[in-house]
Amino acid sequence: MIDILIKNAKIVDGSGNTAYMGDVAVKENKIAAVGQVEEDAVKVIDAQGLVISPGFIDVHGHSDMFAFVDPERSSKLCQGITTEICGQCGLGPAPVGREYINQYMAYFKNQGAPVYPQANSFDTFGKYLDFMNNLPLGINMAYFIPHGTVRMAVMGLSPEKPTREQLDKMSELVDEGMSSGALGLSSGLMYAPGMFADREELETLCRTVGRYGGIYTSHIRDQGARLEESVAETISIAQAAGARANISHHKASGKNNWGKVNKTCRMIHEAEISATHDVYPYAASSTMIRSVLPPKVQKMEPADIISYLKDVRNHSYIEEAMLNPEESFESPLSSCGYDGILIFDAVKTKDAIGKTVAQYADSNGVSPFDGLMRLLTENSLGAGYIGFSMWEDDVETLVADSLCMFGTDGLFVPGMPMTHPRAIGTFPRILGRYVREKNILTLEEAIRKMTSLPAEFYGLEGKGLIKAGMDADLVLFDAEKIIDHSDYKQPLLKNEGIRVVIVNGKIAVEDDKSLGVKNGSTLKAIKR
């Protein structure tokens, strides 16, 4: 007997081919049959008027940072996400160098991220994956080895070039992670300690990735004035190392740079290696507020940064370096301005949440610069913000590109009062606004970019297509109603139109509500 039979659905199978009417049968954790199915089933779902597709793949997420406090990941499930690729932007829970454990703890605390109680035991990436494999999860999770965490494990937060011995140790950690099933190496070259890495360091580590047929994905050095150079650097490093390449959350920050994504999209298509990119469908970014600080300051230890910011003798330099940055520094403050930085997370200054830096400063009777310094120091560098420096036309260009996939890049767990709306609404937004309302994509092409494209590129076996024998990760939704309602002021508003989400054969969402089911698994890379 079939476990679940979905009848009379419009099947968008993930391949990009034209949708067709039919049934989908699920037995245990697999798709048992597709077409006209007449077998008896434990549960029958009449899908008349609804679309069924493979479960959506969030190609850029950060659930690895939060899974132990929120293993259900309902914010993902209620978007139709059944699989997430995490370990992004060069930061993640493992590997941990015991010599630098105190720096590790302080660093993630200052990032506003919880630290796994078991972190001391994650001295290799494989040990972390073993832990995750035993943790009940609401979604499937696949992992990149985070370069910044690898660097921290070997040399702490030092801005220096690694010695040959240190680089060899870093290579060993990457090799261990790849042999344990990681997809590749991620970097975050806008953040410390990733920003300290030169090309030689990254290329050396990526050679190990290349030997496994893996991927180098990067939050590139500069998403503004040096966007083209930064995309070229990523592709060149991967090519020299024998790896494949992905550009994370592709964008052009700052009005003077709008339109550059047309060229960088061509660069990705014309690369001599397999290369892709991803985007979130919003014209605003989000990260931790310490990223506004100039590189000279970010090179310091967190406690030293706070002392430096409190010393008024340094304020003239700091403000000048942020507002009129050197070419090598992509300054968020220069791109966004004080009135374009919206605070969504600030544990010690909760009156700032939902205000821009300019509004927060005005409400406290201080200058915008002094308000920013107060946010940084009182929150121990750990406040989060949304930055308005992007152009909707660029977002549409990226959403439409055939090699561009979709990611939430969200930081959210239940209980947070605010977040970027991308953490809640990314995938319904694509289907509601960019498919149905704007006609930028066909439904079949959007689903392909959410499912089979990432499954093939990232080597996620059994994912991404509706056909017999594939994993039973499925989404049933109303294509005429699906939409996001979250926005920058009310980012926690629920989506509409997701009827059923199935993860590995178990129903996890019904009528836009998560059921608390944890049937996800840890995914490992296919050896190429």
Side-chain angles (χ1 to χ4, degrees):
M1 180 179 281
I2 297 300
D3 293 319
I4 303 170
L5 179 57
I6 301 162
K7 298 282 291 181
N8 308 312
K10 181 178 181 179
I11 299 173
V12 181
D13 66 8
S15 67
N17 294 333
T18 303
Y20 61 94
M21 298 302 296
D23 310 328
V24 178
V26 173
K27 187 175 179 63
E28 297 178 346
N29 65 338
K30 297 291 183 181
I31 296 172
V34 181
Q36 300 302 314
V37 182
E38 302 300 335
E39 295 184 52
D40 292 335
V42 175
K43 183 177 180 66
V44 177
I45 299 172
D46 183 3
Q48 187 72 42
L50 302 177
V51 171
I52 191 166
S53 77
F56 305 150
I57 300 173
D58 178 357
V59 301
H60 188 105
H62 294 282
S63 288
D64 53 324
M65 303 299 297
F66 304 100
F68 77 101
V69 294
D70 177 30
E72 183 184 338
R73 303 309 285 147
S74 60
S75 61
K76 304 282 184 170
L77 288 167
C78 289
Q79 297 183 55
I81 295 166
T82 57
T83 297
E84 179 188 319
I85 298 172
C86 47
Q88 303 284 356
C89 297
L91 296 175
V96 179
R98 288 172 182 161
E99 180 181 353
Y100 297 104
I101 186 67
N102 290 334
Q103 285 191 22
Y104 170 97
M105 296 284 190
Y107 182 86
F108 284 103
K109 179 182 178 182
N110 291 331
Q111 293 291 326
V115 175
Y116 282 68
Q118 302 84 0
N120 258 319
S121 67
F122 298 159
D123 57 336
T124 67
F125 198 73
K127 289 180 181 178
Y128 167 68
L129 290 184
D130 289 343
F131 173 83
M132 294 303 294
N133 197 46
N134 291 313
L135 181 68
L137 297 168
I139 59 174
N140 306 303
M141 290 170 60
Y143 303 83
F144 274 95
I145 305 160
H147 161 260
T149 310
V150 169
R151 196 179 209 272
M152 205 185 313
V154 174
M155 51 192 300
L157 292 169
S158 169
E160 301 303 318
K161 184 181 178 73
T163 64
R164 172 49 57 186
E165 182 180 1
Q166 288 171 326
L167 192 53
D168 287 347
K169 179 59 178 174
M170 290 162 66
S171 295
E172 290 174 11
L173 289 172
V174 172
D175 185 76
E176 189 280 334
M178 292 301 296
S179 68
S180 296
L183 304 179
L185 184 75
S186 78
S187 66
L189 304 183
M190 179 183 174
Y191 308 115
M195 62 167 50
F196 310 139
D198 61 14
R199 180 192 171 102
E200 179 186 3
E201 177 180 330
L202 295 167
E203 189 176 312
T204 298
L205 300 180
C206 283
R207 286 196 196 102
T208 300
V209 172
R211 288 199 298 273
Y212 286 86
I215 299 160
Y216 173 50
T217 187
S218 184
H219 178 144
I220 57 179
R221 290 190 193 277
D222 193 318
Q223 299 170 125
R226 295 186 300 141
L227 175 63
E228 295 104 320
E229 296 92 326
S230 297
V231 169
E233 178 191 37
T234 299
I235 294 171
S236 177
I237 287 170
Q239 183 173 347
R244 293 171 288 145
N246 182 73
I247 306 300
S248 294
H249 41 59
H250 197 174
K251 66 175 70 68
S253 294
K255 190 171 183 179
N256 291 340
N257 305 303
W258 291 352
K260 287 183 177 181
V261 299
N262 293 289
K263 180 178 179 181
T264 48
C265 281
R266 289 197 302 273
M267 292 167 64
I268 292 166
H269 280 265
E270 294 168 2
E272 296 178 9
I273 59 171
S274 177
T276 58
H277 51 144
D278 58 69
V279 68
Y280 45 79
Y282 299 85
S285 60
S286 180
T287 190
M288 303 309 294
I289 202 164
R290 69 174 285 168
S291 69
V292 306
L293 296 170
K296 171 185 171 181
V297 181
Q298 292 205 47
K299 288 180 179 180
M300 302 175 186
E301 297 282 350
D304 294 333
I305 293 176
I306 293 169
S307 296
Y308 188 86
L309 299 183
K310 288 181 175 179
D311 189 337
V312 295
R313 293 172 296 181
N314 299 320
H315 284 187
S316 177
Y317 161 75
I318 296 169
E319 185 166 32
E320 176 65 20
M322 291 189 299
L323 291 176
N324 299 292
E326 296 178 357
E327 186 180 4
S328 60
F329 172 41
E330 181 197 345
S331 170
L333 187 60
S334 176
S335 297
C336 301
Y338 290 111
D339 59 352
I341 293 178
L342 176 68
I343 304 301
F344 74 82
D345 183 29
V347 173
K348 299 296 184 182
T349 55
K350 291 185 178 179
D351 59 320
I353 294 173
K355 296 186 176 95
T356 66
V357 171
Q359 290 169 336
Y360 171 71
D362 185 63
S363 68
N364 283 273
V366 298
S367 71
F369 176 80
D370 287 341
L372 178 60
M373 292 300 101
R374 182 179 296 183
L375 285 165
L376 284 158
T377 55
E378 293 192 15
N379 291 286
S380 301
L381 312 177
Y385 76 91
I386 298 168
F388 296 88
S389 65
M390 298 161 61
W391 188 30
E392 176 62 23
D393 284 16
D394 281 349
V395 175
E396 293 182 4
T397 295
L398 294 165
V399 166
D401 189 83
S402 62
L403 290 177
C404 192
M405 300 169 282
F406 306 122
T408 61
D409 194 20
L411 304 173
F412 178 74
V413 294
M416 288 177 62
M418 282 194 72
T419 186
H420 191 298
R422 67 193 185 191
I424 305 296
T426 288
F427 285 78
R429 184 178 182 86
I430 292 288
L431 295 171
R433 301 187 190 279
Y434 293 88
V435 173
R436 187 178 65 246
E437 295 177 1
K438 296 187 175 186
N439 295 311
I440 289 171
L441 292 169
T442 66
L443 178 61
E444 290 88 347
E445 176 65 359
I447 296 298
R448 182 189 73 85
K449 284 151 57 72
M450 293 176 172
T451 58
S452 69
L453 176 61
E456 180 179 356
F457 183 72
Y458 289 107
L460 305 178
E461 189 172 16
K463 307 299 181 186
L465 290 170
I466 292 182
K467 67 178 185 180
M470 299 293 280
D471 294 345
D473 292 343
L474 299 163
V475 183
L476 187 66
F477 62 93
D478 187 335
E480 297 304 315
K481 292 183 178 179
I482 191 167
I483 199 69
D484 63 309
H485 292 297
S486 57
D487 59 27
Y488 300 108
K489 288 295 186 180
Q490 293 181 291
L492 306 187
L493 294 177
K494 293 182 179 181
N495 305 308
E496 181 181 352
I498 299 283
R499 293 294 182 86
V500 175
V501 178
I502 298 173
V503 181
N504 294 315
K506 300 291 185 184
I507 295 175
V509 172
E510 286 186 318
D511 295 326
D512 297 302
K513 295 179 181 178
S514 179
L515 303 180
V517 172
K518 301 184 187 74
N519 203 44
S521 63
T522 295
L523 306 180
K524 297 188 177 182
I526 299 172
K527 298 297 185 290
R528 293 177 182 264

